[in-house]
Amino acid sequence: MKIRVYKSKRELQILDEIGDFVKLYRISLGFNPIGHKEKEGDGKTPEGVYQLIKNPGTLHPLGYMITYPTAEQTAEAHLKGIDPGFDILIHGFSPKTRHKGQDHWKEDWTRGCIAVTDEELLEIRKLVPFGSSVEILP
């Protein structure tokens, strides 16, 4: 299984091993979603192909950590003298965002992450194992 995200459509798709569609979720993105993430604090959700790993943090412990930035993205950012950012996740709600509910996707409110509801995150966790790929497209 793998995940494909279409930022412009606010869609997260679950695909099977051969790339066939399995399920669709509506998502919220970073508060400044157009374009590829370049630096910490820009509010953009990165674009590219990454892996899903366990989140070592405590704010969204059930979320998937996305392996952004890659070594190449880190090197490019350092050449430009900027911090590329970190802690990009696919996550549910926090205590501060729990009120957003099912219509959360109508507004981009994360700091660069991809958000679904808590219930959807639990569903996704049953379908997509850690180590799977996530492709994030414009």
Side-chain angles (χ1 to χ4, degrees):
M1 300 294 254
K2 63 183 175 179
I3 292 176
R4 182 172 293 143
V5 171
Y6 290 96
K7 290 171 43 174
S8 61
K9 297 179 188 180
R10 304 304 186 272
E11 290 181 359
L12 182 152
Q13 298 178 358
I14 306 293
L15 306 173
D16 67 14
E17 293 79 13
I18 59 171
D20 288 338
F21 175 82
V22 174
K23 187 132 188 193
L24 171 85
Y25 299 90
R26 302 297 295 181
I27 58 171
S28 296
L29 300 169
F31 60 84
N32 185 24
I34 297 172
H36 173 61
K37 183 165 195 64
E38 292 184 10
K39 62 182 180 177
E40 177 67 19
D42 65 7
K44 296 185 183 300
T45 301
E47 296 169 1
V49 178
Y50 306 95
Q51 298 302 117
L52 300 169
I53 59 175
K54 286 186 180 182
N55 176 18
T58 58
L59 182 58
H60 298 287
L62 295 178
Y64 294 96
M65 177 78 66
I66 295 171
T67 57
Y68 170 87
T70 64
E72 182 180 282
Q73 290 166 328
T74 299
E76 186 177 314
H78 287 289
L79 283 174
K80 294 178 181 177
I82 57 176
D83 178 349
F86 59 97
D87 282 350
I88 302 297
L89 299 143
I90 297 174
H91 64 69
F93 299 140
S94 71
K96 290 182 180 180
T97 59
R98 196 162 312 285
H99 67 281
K100 293 198 177 282
Q102 291 293 326
D103 289 338
H104 72 94
W105 60 271
K106 293 180 178 178
E107 172 188 9
D108 292 315
W109 51 270
T110 76
R111 294 188 322 196
C113 296
I114 298 164
V116 294
T117 68
D118 291 343
E119 295 80 16
E120 291 168 339
L121 181 60
L122 292 174
E123 224 176 74
I124 294 167
R125 288 281 306 267
K126 289 178 184 175
L127 294 169
V128 182
F130 291 111
S132 297
S133 71
V134 56
E135 180 180 21
I136 306 171
L137 300 167

